[in-house]
Each structure stands twice: as C-alpha cells, then as structure tokens.
Amino acid sequence: MFFRSLLCMGTSMDQIPEDISSNFTKIRVENCRLSELPQGSFSQVGNLGFLWLNFNEITLMNIKSLKGLANLTELRLQGNKLTSVPWTAFQDTPKLKILDLKHNRLDSLPEHALRHLSSLTYLDLSFNQLSIISKEVFMNWPLYQTAEKAWDKDGLVSNVVLALHENPWLCDCRLKGFVEFIREVGPPIILMSSYLKCSSPDSKANKFFHEIQLKTCMAPVASAQDTSFTVPLGTNATLTCIVKARPAPTIQWMYSLKIVRGFVAKQTQLDEETVTSQLLIPSVRVADRGVYTCTANNFISNSSVSVTLNINSHNSSMPLPPVPMLSSNDNTHIEIRIAKQTVYGITLEWYATMDNPAETWFTIHFGKYDSPKKEMIYLGPGINSYTVSDLLPVTKYEVCVTLKNHPPRDGQCIVFITGSDISELEQREKLIHIIVIVCAMVLAVPAGMYACTTEARFSCVDRCLDLWRRRRMHREGTQETERQANFDSLQAASDEALCRKSLEKVKRRKSEDKSRGGSAAQLY
C-alpha cells in the first residue's frame, strides 16, 4: 500500500477538508487559522499516525474530534488557544505516545485527565496557565502506576518525559501534594525541567518548589476582639474581625442578612494564615445601629462572627427608638427615575437632597409588586444608580429607594412591567412606523379634506383609514412601480371622492336647516 503525507502551511482555512484521502499517514496543517476541531475531523483517515496542528487558532476541541484515529501515535497542538481539553477524547487514540500541548491557555487539569493516556512517552504542558494541580492527577495515571511497579521489579521500563515548566503556579496549601510529588518524582518519570517556580502569593513568588514548605489547608475561623461596642452619634465607627484560614478566604460584611455594599472594607494580611477585615461606617446615625456579621469563606468551609453596634445619643434624656424610623424633622426628598429599561432589566437613578450626601447610604427595596417581602440591597455613600438584571418577562415589579434602612415612603417607589421578549420591542417599533405613515397620509391630503374632516369629525377619518388599509392590501400584490401610482391616486382620486360624498351630505343638511328656518354652520 502507498502511504502519503499532507502538508498545508500558511493558508487560511476555515475547517478541515472533508475529502482527505484515506491513505495519508501524516498530516501537518500549521498557521492556517483553524479555530476548532469538530466531531470526526479525521475519521476517514484510519491509517493516520502523525497529526500536527501547531500554531493555529484552535479554541474548541470536540469530545469526538479524534474518532477513528486508532493508529495515531503523535498529536501536536502547540501554539493554539485551548483553555480546556476533552480528555475523554483520547479513548479513541489508544496508541498515542506523544502529546504536545505547550503554549496554549490550559488553566486546569482534572484528577482523571490522564486516565486514557496509558501509552504516552512524552507529555508537554509547559507554557500554559496552570496554577493548581492535584497530586492525584498523576497518582491516577495508569501509565505511572504500571511503570512504577515495573521499575521497582526489574528497572527495564521506558521513561516518560513530562514538561510542566513556565506555568503561573499558585504556591498555597492547595498545591502541597503536587509540590511533594515533583520533589520525589524519579524514573520512569523524567521532568524536562525540574526547577518549577512559584508565581504567587507574593511571599513565595519566584521561589523554586524545593525552596518552599507548604502547610495543610485549614477551614476559616472568624473571631472579633469586641463583639459589642458603643459609639457616639455622628462619629465614625470601625468594625473589625480576625480570620485564620488556609488558603486566604473571601470576607464579606452583612447587615440584616444582606451584603453591605458601598462602605469601605479594608483587609490586612497579618501573616500567612491570618487576615483582618475592617468595615468603616462614617458618621453613624440611629439607623446604623444593629448586628453586623463578618463571614469568611474558602473552598473548605465558612465561618462567621457577629458584632453589635450601639449608638450613644448626645441627649441621654431622650432614649433611642426601638426600631430605626425617620425622625419627625427629617424632610429628605429622594427623586427616583428609571434611566434605562430593557426586556430583562432596568437601571435606576436617584437624587437626594440632604445635609451630608457624602456620609449617607441608601437601601434598595426590590421585588415583585404583589410580594409582601422585598429584597434589600445596601449602597454606600456616593452611589446614586443601580442596575437590576435577569428579571422575569411579563412581570410586575416594584423598586424603592430609601435613606439608610428606613421603610419606603410615598414617592420613593416605581412600579414597572417587563416585556414579553425581544420581538415585543420590535413590534412596538413597527407600530410606530405604521402610525407615522398614517399621519403623513392624512396630513398630505388636499385642503378640502380639512373641511371635510372638520365637519364630519371622526367618521371621515375612519373612512380614510379604511380606504388606506384596502389600498395597502391591493398594493401588496402589485409591482414596485405601481405602488407609487396607487399611493398618489389615493391622495388625488380616492380622497377627492371621499370628500365629495361628505360635502354632499353637508349640503343636504344645510338645505334641511334652511327649510326649517334655522341656521347652519358655514364652511370656508
């Protein structure tokens, strides 16, 4: 049998040709701007052993893109734009020995990614975006398990070259197992470069794996030195919580079970596993008092601690109200409007007249119109707009803006209804065009038509619109050259006949009035 090679370089190619001959054993398509590998891209080339697709723009690889390539031994995808690989696709390539994926954008490697690559002798994952890999990726690799046993037995097993350098490794507790694997790995696994470097965090940046010691991950533990304290009315308050966790947690402050937005929350890293979060509340008022919760999360679990803020009134003889309400002399006016509305969302804007706008925060009350409970979003000083998206179609909503966490008052709410879909907006536009055409036609009729319209009121206009509809239906079945003539005849002939009938009716009414000795309105 005669075997051939296919070489295609520097040619713009949208897709893999479907008529590739079945007797090719090597295909090399490079710099051809391929963007994807669809299902069965080379299934008709059953004898294919070498496939090079380097330096294209491949971003998508179908799970069945390698179907029919049971004899493939070498696959090179260097210099593409892959962010992920369907690793189960390699079930169709049991003889694959070389897999080159360097200079792509791979950012993760699942624990069972190498399950179907039991014949590899070369795997290149260098120059990607890998930051965290589990040790289990290699522990679950059948080739590693088999080779390790064979090496221990007689040492007569082929080496496997593994390239993992030039990736932005995140050296925290999640990488502990992988770092230990790299330190201990030996034949038959051979690293192309054993000097792997950390990219982050800053404390370990540019350090080699053999220079660092990583600790086991730990769930967050949140605490606070002061869980209840009192500040004078009008002063600034700072709430502080301390969190111990590995890796670094995400920290949020909540008030009345809602995330606090807009206030300044400053985080400080005390050491590798301890961070403090401080929430600054400027110029506290009565409405600011209550329980604030500091919540910390990482991939293991979450933890929270509550801090109670009390307000000390300047006049001790006047006790604070049990529930934050607007005072009798609080005449703050909030002007609210919808700045933008789409089918599935709105953008809200408001303006409030107050003494210290830079020290005042707002509450958005949002929900379905008939719902007794509304979602509340807290916005800090300096924010005067908010966008709500992902709304249900054909649904009535109510949104209110209030000062601090006060209940809504009259004039602080807007009720609106979302559209059905995009086509509804398009239909509205078409309706506007139709109305403009009708109005233009009515305004373009002869002067006598105005007299007719004035005397006959709406009946004449109704006939005009009816004639226009019938003429429009008639014009739809004619050629383009006839349309203008029909439109002109509608203005000249049809409108003239219409007004003639109406004027005759007016003259009969005049003669009847004269016979009765009455007066009739004159038309000029």
Side-chain angles (χ1 to χ4, degrees):
M1 184 180 292
F2 180 67
F3 298 104
R4 296 184 300 172
S5 297
L6 173 64
L7 176 62
C8 184
M9 301 183 69
T11 302
S12 182
M13 185 182 296
D14 295 333
Q15 59 185 8
I16 302 295
E18 298 180 357
D19 55 351
I20 298 178
S21 176
S22 60
N23 60 358
F24 283 118
T25 59
K26 183 175 182 178
I27 294 179
R28 187 175 179 182
V29 181
E30 297 183 351
N31 286 305
C32 291
R33 298 185 180 180
L34 287 176
S35 60
E36 66 173 306
L37 292 181
Q39 178 176 345
S41 299
F42 302 94
S43 58
Q44 72 275 25
V45 195
N47 294 319
L48 188 63
F50 302 87
L51 178 59
W52 290 18
L53 300 172
N54 299 322
F55 307 111
N56 284 287
E57 298 179 0
I58 299 173
T59 58
L60 180 63
M61 185 176 172
N62 187 277
I63 195 172
K64 289 295 183 181
S65 58
L66 304 178
K67 182 179 180 181
L69 301 182
N71 294 310
L72 189 67
T73 59
E74 184 173 327
L75 175 61
R76 295 186 180 273
L77 290 164
Q78 175 186 353
N80 281 282
K81 298 179 179 179
L82 291 167
T83 57
S84 64
V85 172
W87 297 99
T88 53
F90 297 108
Q91 294 180 92
D92 296 319
T93 59
K95 297 181 180 179
L96 190 65
K97 294 183 178 298
I98 297 176
L99 177 58
D100 186 356
L101 291 167
K102 63 175 170 283
H103 286 287
N104 274 277
R105 301 175 182 178
L106 303 178
D107 56 9
S108 64
L109 205 60
E111 287 190 3
H112 297 283
L114 309 181
R115 175 187 295 179
H116 304 293
L117 295 169
S118 57
S119 299
L120 278 186
T121 58
Y122 178 85
L123 174 61
D124 196 338
L125 295 169
S126 61
F127 294 93
N128 275 278
Q129 297 298 316
L130 299 172
S131 58
I132 295 176
I133 290 182
S134 170
K135 179 181 179 180
E136 302 304 318
V137 172
F138 303 98
M139 296 295 101
N140 295 330
W141 192 6
L143 183 147
Y144 176 77
Q145 297 170 353
T146 304
E148 190 176 42
K149 293 177 181 179
W151 184 271
D152 292 339
K153 184 177 180 180
D154 50 25
L156 300 175
V157 65
S158 299
N159 290 327
V160 181
V161 177
L162 181 62
L164 293 165
H165 54 282
E166 298 301 330
N167 279 286
W169 300 113
L170 173 58
C171 295
D172 63 16
C173 64
R174 290 169 289 184
L175 204 65
K176 183 176 185 294
F178 175 67
V179 170
E180 293 174 350
F181 170 81
I182 294 300
R183 285 176 180 166
E184 300 169 359
V185 71
I189 304 295
I190 298 177
L191 292 176
M192 182 177 291
S193 175
S194 58
Y195 293 96
L196 302 187
K197 276 186 178 182
C198 301
S199 291
S200 58
D202 293 340
S203 60
K204 294 182 175 62
N206 295 318
K207 290 185 178 181
F208 294 106
F209 280 13
H210 64 269
E211 297 178 326
I212 62 173
Q213 294 293 331
L214 299 179
K215 298 180 180 180
T216 305
C217 292
M218 178 179 70
V221 177
S223 62
Q225 293 181 347
D226 297 319
T227 57
S228 179
F229 63 98
T230 303
V231 297
L233 189 67
T235 62
N236 296 338
T238 301
L239 313 183
T240 304
C241 76
I242 303 172
V243 179
K244 288 183 173 291
R246 286 192 300 267
T250 300
I251 301 177
Q252 290 181 328
W253 284 90
M254 307 185 74
Y255 178 73
S256 298
L257 302 180
K258 299 296 179 182
I259 297 176
V260 176
R261 304 179 189 273
F263 288 160
V264 177
K266 180 182 177 181
Q267 289 189 197
T268 304
Q269 193 79 35
L270 299 182
D271 55 42
E272 186 177 349
E273 60 187 39
T274 308
V275 62
T276 63
S277 178
Q278 294 180 317
L279 179 69
L280 174 63
I281 304 176
S283 185
V284 296
R285 299 186 181 184
V286 173
D288 295 327
R289 68 191 179 97
V291 178
Y292 292 79
T293 303
C294 172
T295 302
N297 297 271
N298 68 10
F299 78 101
I300 300 177
S301 183
N302 62 75
S303 176
S304 61
V305 61
S306 296
V307 180
T308 302
L309 175 63
N310 300 305
I311 308 298
N312 183 19
S313 175
H314 293 302
N315 188 348
S316 58
S317 62
M318 297 178 62
L320 297 176
V323 179
M325 296 294 288
L326 287 172
S327 59
S328 58
N329 59 352
D330 193 346
N331 296 320
T332 300
H333 172 70
I334 300 178
E335 183 178 334
I336 178 174
R337 73 184 186 93
I338 295 179
K340 179 181 179 181
Q341 180 173 2
T342 63
V343 176
Y344 302 111
I346 64 165
T347 296
L348 203 66
E349 291 184 352
W350 62 89
Y351 174 77
T353 55
M354 59 189 70
D355 297 334
N356 297 306
E359 299 180 356
T360 305
W361 54 278
F362 301 90
T363 302
I364 303 290
H365 305 259
F366 180 79
K368 293 183 179 180
Y369 179 74
D370 55 355
S371 175
K373 293 184 178 180
K374 299 290 192 296
E375 179 183 359
M376 290 188 293
I377 303 101
Y378 297 96
L379 302 174
I383 300 176
N384 65 343
S385 66
Y386 189 77
T387 299
V388 182
S389 57
D390 298 327
L391 302 181
L392 296 175
V394 198
T395 304
K396 190 175 183 180
Y397 287 95
E398 182 179 38
V399 58
C400 309
V401 179
T402 65
L403 186 66
K404 297 296 184 70
N405 58 348
H406 299 158
R409 296 187 299 176
D410 292 342
Q412 295 180 339
C413 299
I414 288 181
V415 179
F416 65 95
I417 300 177
T418 54
S420 58
D421 52 26
I422 297 297
S423 61
E424 178 180 331
L425 297 179
E426 295 175 351
Q427 291 299 326
R428 289 181 181 178
E429 292 181 359
K430 292 179 181 179
L431 179 60
I432 291 174
H433 290 311
I434 293 174
I435 293 174
V436 169
I437 291 173
V438 173
C439 291
M441 185 188 69
V442 172
L443 294 176
V445 297
M449 183 64 178
Y450 293 104
C452 171
T453 304
T454 305
E455 179 63 25
R457 298 180 184 275
F458 295 103
S459 61
C460 185
V461 177
D462 291 339
R463 287 194 220 102
C464 176
L465 292 176
D466 182 66
L467 284 172
W468 175 79
R469 293 191 189 98
R470 282 185 285 168
R471 287 287 180 176
R472 183 173 181 273
M473 293 175 62
H474 175 69
R475 288 200 307 274
E476 289 177 351
T478 63
Q479 298 181 353
E480 185 65 25
T481 55
E482 297 174 341
R483 293 182 179 179
Q484 185 60 39
N486 287 339
F487 185 81
D488 294 339
S489 65
L490 175 62
Q491 292 184 352
S494 299
D495 296 344
E496 183 179 350
L498 173 65
C499 290
R500 186 184 303 113
K501 292 181 180 179
S502 298
L503 288 173
E504 290 175 357
K505 183 176 180 181
V506 173
K507 290 180 180 179
R508 286 197 301 269
R509 189 181 302 167
K510 285 182 179 180
S511 61
E512 292 174 359
D513 291 339
K514 288 181 180 180
S515 61
R516 291 195 299 267
S519 61
Q522 301 297 316
L523 298 176
Y524 297 96

